Amino acid sequence: MIWNELLIRYGEMSLKGRNRKVFIQKLTANIKQILHDLQSVKLKAERDRMFLYATSDDLEQAIERLSDVAGIQSFSPIAKCESTVEAIQQTALAIFETEDTEEKTFKVEVRRTDKSFPLVTGELQREIGGTILKAHSNLSVNVKKPDILLHIDIRNDGSFLSSKVYKGAGGMPVGSNGKSLLMLSGGIDSPVAGYLMMKRGVTIEAIHFASPPFTSEQAQEKVIELGRQISAYGGKIKLHIIPFTDIQQAIVKQVPENVSITSTRRIMMRIADQLRNEIGALAIVTGESLGQVASQTLESFTAINAVTSTPILRPLIATDKLEIIQIAKKIGTYETSIQPFEDCCTVFTPSSPKTKPRLEKVEFYESFIGFEPMIMEAIQNRTIIDCFIEEKTDEFSDLL
């Protein structure tokens, strides 16, 4: 492997002003977590970019994982050599040995920070371009839209060459935009909603409602696994599992069947809101998409939202199912989400749910049940599970 280091580009973070340092520190911490098991990795953060140094094997692993980290716009493997024409020629040829050059075009781009280098930019471009053409007769030059762009950076401490650009997740580093509570059901949608909010820099804790014996241990393990999977995108996930059986049975007994799903969602939201306040989160995140099911109409949202003044973030609200599935497959949660284990909503789903529930009627039906003590008991008896990739904290203490 010819690469010595990775150049990591920040993208959107570059637009930040005085608080940019905070965002860079968050991104650095998230990269450490993702690469915690790669012993040789060292990071050096600068104002507009970051450098990652590692052995060849660890560098290959880092290339495979960094595309998942929110806050990284793109990254490139870099080959370093001495700042002599001969060394740059040899390194350029070695890089092109890794490229598919069959009927391709290329361009040499030079940035000359070290002004003492004996050739000016145009002269070095022609020298290196000529060397490549002699070695690869099937290549041709295209200065406007090349298939392969060889970038050469002449600095005071050596010359740095790159030809590959890997796309990152973009967005903001997880942890840079506050904390929210994700309602994680175990289906396809809610993990995607959590991922999208993490991509905007939001730290996520998750809440899940379990109704044993109507829901199984496997269903709960599935949700824990989903929490682990989305934690890979840069954030630790604390999962709160709420015992919901007694509340759900009370709803089924007292509330008419066709609005029971609305009442169920309202009580879930009340529990989520109290937990949100306890953990210091600022918003509640759901995987709801307008019109997807009966509880996801504007009338249903109105009835559900009425139980709280907390901001409810619905990042999937305008997406259709195929778009959601596409993202789920991309982030690796789809295969887990489609495992056929029931959740508490599907177990008690009425045959003909009301799509336009009237708030005053729902409130009337719920008034016959003393939900508040049941809500407090459910929160007190919850199970808390940490879902994240285990981190070795002593490996990077000297890197910030």
Side-chain angles (χ1 to χ4, degrees):
M1 189 176 184
I2 61 172
W3 311 116
N4 308 105
E5 60 190 72
L6 294 182
L7 167 63
I8 299 171
R9 304 175 185 87
Y10 299 150
E12 190 175 343
M13 285 169 50
S14 300
L15 303 176
K16 299 298 176 184
R18 295 179 179 177
N19 58 350
R20 182 183 306 186
K21 184 178 179 181
V22 175
F23 289 87
I24 293 173
Q25 288 175 337
K26 288 289 184 185
L27 178 60
T28 305
N30 294 343
I31 292 175
K32 291 175 187 175
Q33 182 185 334
I34 295 296
L35 306 180
H36 69 275
D37 58 327
L38 306 182
Q39 305 296 326
S40 69
V41 168
K42 302 288 183 185
L43 297 173
K44 179 184 177 184
E46 296 183 354
R47 179 175 173 78
D48 297 316
R49 56 190 178 179
M50 186 183 296
F51 294 95
L52 186 154
Y53 308 97
T55 61
S56 295
D57 289 343
D58 285 355
L59 214 56
E60 287 186 2
Q61 288 290 318
I63 291 172
E64 292 181 5
R65 301 182 197 179
L66 285 182
S67 59
D68 293 337
V69 180
I72 295 178
Q73 189 67 26
S74 65
F75 56 97
S76 295
I78 304 292
K80 181 181 179 181
C81 66
E82 293 181 1
S83 286
T84 65
V85 174
E86 293 75 18
I88 295 171
Q89 287 173 320
Q90 292 175 7
T91 305
L93 290 174
I95 288 175
F96 271 75
E97 288 299 322
T98 69
E99 299 282 356
D100 175 14
T101 58
E102 191 64 33
E103 304 299 327
K104 296 290 177 62
T105 61
F106 79 104
K107 175 185 177 182
V108 178
E109 189 175 78
V110 173
R111 179 186 179 193
R112 199 168 62 96
T113 307
D114 179 7
K115 301 302 182 185
S116 66
F117 191 81
L119 300 184
V120 298
T121 298
E123 292 174 333
L124 183 58
Q125 286 173 324
R126 289 191 292 272
E127 188 69 32
I128 302 303
T131 300
I132 294 169
L133 282 174
K134 287 178 183 176
H136 297 274
S137 57
N138 51 349
L139 277 171
S140 59
V141 175
N142 184 335
V143 296
K144 292 186 177 178
K145 194 175 181 182
D147 297 312
I148 304 169
L149 175 62
L150 176 65
H151 182 81
I152 303 173
D153 193 0
I154 310 294
R155 300 184 221 158
N156 294 326
D157 57 341
S159 294
F160 300 79
L161 287 74
S162 64
S163 64
K164 302 179 187 296
V165 178
Y166 295 93
K167 189 176 180 181
M172 306 298 293
V174 174
S176 61
N177 272 331
K179 181 163 70 175
S180 293
L181 182 64
L182 169 68
M183 298 179 74
L184 187 60
S185 69
I188 296 172
D189 302 341
S190 55
V192 173
Y195 160 76
L196 292 176
M197 293 311 301
M198 292 170 72
K199 190 177 173 183
R200 294 310 306 161
V202 175
T203 296
I204 290 293
E205 290 197 26
I207 182 172
H208 174 71
F209 297 88
S211 291
F214 305 103
T215 58
S216 64
E217 191 69 26
Q218 292 97 323
Q220 186 169 302
E221 287 300 320
K222 171 184 166 183
V223 173
I224 295 170
E225 178 58 24
L226 287 170
R228 291 196 184 103
Q229 289 174 340
I230 59 175
S231 77
Y233 293 91
K236 302 176 182 178
I237 304 279
K238 184 167 287 186
L239 174 63
H240 304 261
I241 299 177
I242 304 292
F244 200 56
T245 309
D246 292 344
I247 293 176
Q248 201 155 18
Q249 287 182 315
I251 293 172
V252 171
K253 184 178 179 180
Q254 183 62 43
V255 177
E257 183 184 23
N258 63 349
V259 293
S260 62
I261 192 67
T262 304
S263 284
T264 299
R265 297 294 295 174
R266 281 166 52 86
I267 302 303
M268 285 179 170
M269 191 62 73
R270 286 174 63 180
I271 294 174
D273 199 28
Q274 291 200 27
L275 179 60
R276 173 208 63 75
N277 185 57
E278 180 182 319
I279 64 175
L282 299 175
I284 296 170
V285 180
T286 79
E288 293 162 316
S289 170
L290 184 60
Q292 190 177 117
V293 295
S295 64
Q296 297 177 13
T297 63
L298 289 179
E299 290 82 359
S300 291
F301 290 154
T302 300
I304 294 167
N305 290 2
V307 301
T308 179
S309 59
T310 298
I312 300 172
L313 308 178
R314 296 181 168 98
L316 305 182
I317 193 68
T319 57
D320 64 34
K321 197 67 178 182
L322 292 179
E323 293 170 317
I324 296 170
I325 288 173
Q326 188 175 18
I327 299 174
K329 289 181 177 179
K330 174 188 169 186
I331 66 176
T333 58
Y334 179 74
E335 294 299 329
T336 303
S337 291
I338 62 173
Q339 291 176 11
F341 302 121
E342 69 292 330
D343 64 47
C344 64
C345 289
T346 57
V347 166
F348 290 93
T349 299
S351 56
S352 300
K354 208 168 185 60
T355 57
K356 297 181 179 179
R358 292 174 59 182
L359 176 60
E360 63 274 15
K361 284 196 172 183
V362 176
E363 290 177 334
F364 172 74
Y365 298 135
E366 292 173 5
S367 67
F368 294 96
I369 309 174
F371 280 118
E372 194 58 33
M374 300 174 75
I375 289 173
M376 296 304 298
E377 183 180 358
I379 293 175
Q380 289 171 0
N381 293 333
R382 72 187 188 273
T383 303
I384 303 175
I385 297 174
D386 289 322
C387 304
F388 59 90
I389 300 170
E390 190 176 348
E391 184 178 5
K392 295 179 181 178
T393 56
D394 59 342
E395 297 294 333
F396 301 92
S397 58
D398 60 335
L399 297 178
L400 280 174

